[in-house]
Amino acid sequence: MSTSTRSPAPRGPASRLKAPALYALMILVALFFLTPVYVMLATSLKPLDQITLEQMWEWPRSISFQSYAVALEKLRPNLINTFRLVIPATIISALVGSLNGYVLAKWRFRGADQVFTWLLFGMFVPYQSILIPLIRFLQAIQLYNTIAGLVLVHVVYGIPITTLMFRNFYAQIPDSLMDAARIDGAGVWGTYVRIALPLSLPGFVVVGIWQFTQIWNEFLFAVSITQSTKQPIMVALQNLSGSQIVQWNVQMAAALIAALPTLLVYILLGRWYVRGLMAGAVKG
């Protein structure tokens, strides 16, 4: 008995033009979004006397890295403050969200849906509405104007979104794995450590990138809760603007330095980020 294979249908003119047109559109969109980055980079490499509106689009005639040295010198204490804030706040909020999501997804209890609803409600509470009582509370527990107080605030505000992400992620894990651990005598904590946690790497990558970016770029809490030497880099970046003469090359260099860590996180972990998002995209 002979078998025959069907040859693919010839592509018409419309199909042949579709891919180049799509790539051209993507290139135009990329150029549109990269235009401000080019202006920032070009300005940061120019000496101050070359920075004018007429020369804004021109590449510097002589490249100078002096603005980066000045910006880094001014931002170094605040950059250290930001890492002291972001690293523990990201880790703690991810761990708490992982535990909450695991319990709400796999260990159903009476009122679990109501607890989850109230947790999600916290995502929609505007920062401005709780700012004054939050500052009063931090002053009462002596954590106002401290990195620890800022860590506490970001952990608490991060719990709703991290819980939601991990709950959706753990919903994809077959219940048979949890049942097998229970038959072996593992309790809630044992099942989490032996089964759920080893499978949670994609979820931790997604939550870690999200929290790292949000906390790094946050401004309102940082400027309201901390002062002077305790301020993170985003507040220091605003303070560089000056009042009379603005050193635009230093400003642009500082902005690029402040954006670099989050950019590196996305470049290094972007593939895992997409995989983790897809892992929790089916069930809610």
Side-chain angles (χ1 to χ4, degrees):
M1 182 175 180
S2 62
T3 59
S4 60
T5 59
R6 297 178 60 184
S7 59
R11 298 174 61 186
S15 299
R16 288 195 296 268
L17 291 175
K18 185 176 181 180
L22 181 60
Y23 281 113
L25 178 62
M26 293 172 63
I27 291 173
L28 287 175
V29 172
L31 290 175
F32 175 77
F33 281 99
L34 289 175
T35 297
V37 179
Y38 165 78
V39 174
M40 292 173 62
L41 181 61
T43 303
S44 68
L45 296 174
K46 293 178 181 178
L48 189 59
D49 57 357
Q50 294 183 22
I51 301 174
T52 62
L53 289 176
E54 293 78 11
Q55 299 177 347
M56 180 175 64
W57 300 100
E58 297 179 7
W59 189 253
R61 294 188 296 271
S62 60
I63 295 178
S64 172
F65 292 97
Q66 182 62 29
S67 58
Y68 284 90
V70 174
L72 190 57
E73 181 65 26
K74 292 182 177 180
L75 294 179
R76 182 181 289 112
N78 307 96
L79 191 61
I80 295 173
N81 288 341
T82 307
F83 279 112
R84 290 174 56 202
L85 161 67
V86 170
I87 293 174
T90 300
I91 293 174
I92 295 172
S93 59
L95 288 174
V96 174
S98 174
L99 286 168
N100 290 343
Y102 162 70
V103 171
L104 291 172
K106 294 302 180 184
W107 290 79
R108 305 291 296 175
F109 57 90
R110 186 175 181 180
D113 292 336
Q114 288 74 17
V115 171
F116 183 59
T117 301
W118 281 106
L119 275 175
L120 292 185
F121 179 74
M123 295 171 53
F124 305 101
V125 177
Y127 292 178
Q128 297 85 347
S129 64
I130 54 90
L131 200 55
I132 293 177
L134 175 63
I135 292 175
R136 294 269 188 146
F137 172 74
L138 291 175
Q139 289 173 338
I141 63 174
Q142 298 182 354
L143 286 181
Y144 179 74
N145 194 30
T146 64
I147 299 296
L150 206 51
V151 169
L152 175 63
V153 171
H154 283 292
V155 168
V156 172
Y157 246 92
I159 287 176
I161 185 64
T162 58
T163 299
L164 173 64
M165 290 181 174
F166 273 111
R167 182 178 181 270
N168 290 345
F169 177 81
Y170 288 132
Q172 309 305 307
I173 299 178
D175 292 335
S176 57
L177 292 177
M178 305 297 174
D179 295 337
R182 294 173 189 174
I183 292 174
D184 290 341
V188 177
W189 178 252
T191 305
Y192 172 76
V193 172
R194 292 167 53 188
I195 304 297
L197 193 59
L199 299 174
S200 301
L201 179 59
F204 274 101
V205 171
V206 172
V207 172
I209 292 177
W210 174 270
Q211 283 294 94
F212 184 93
T213 305
Q214 295 297 312
I215 298 171
W216 186 280
N217 294 326
E218 199 278 327
F219 180 81
L220 180 60
F221 285 148
V223 76
S224 303
I225 295 174
T226 58
Q227 301 172 357
S228 61
T229 59
K230 302 297 183 180
Q231 291 176 335
I233 193 169
M234 288 302 161
V235 181
L237 187 62
Q238 170 63 26
N239 294 338
L240 280 180
S241 59
S243 58
Q244 296 179 353
I245 299 176
V246 179
Q247 295 179 298
W248 289 110
N249 51 350
V250 176
Q251 279 280 88
M252 296 304 170
L256 289 172
I257 292 173
L260 187 60
T262 52
L263 179 63
L264 290 177
V265 166
Y266 274 105
I267 291 175
L268 297 176
L269 301 176
R271 181 180 303 179
W272 287 93
Y273 184 73
V274 174
R275 290 179 183 176
L277 284 178
M278 295 303 296
V282 179
K283 291 184 181 180

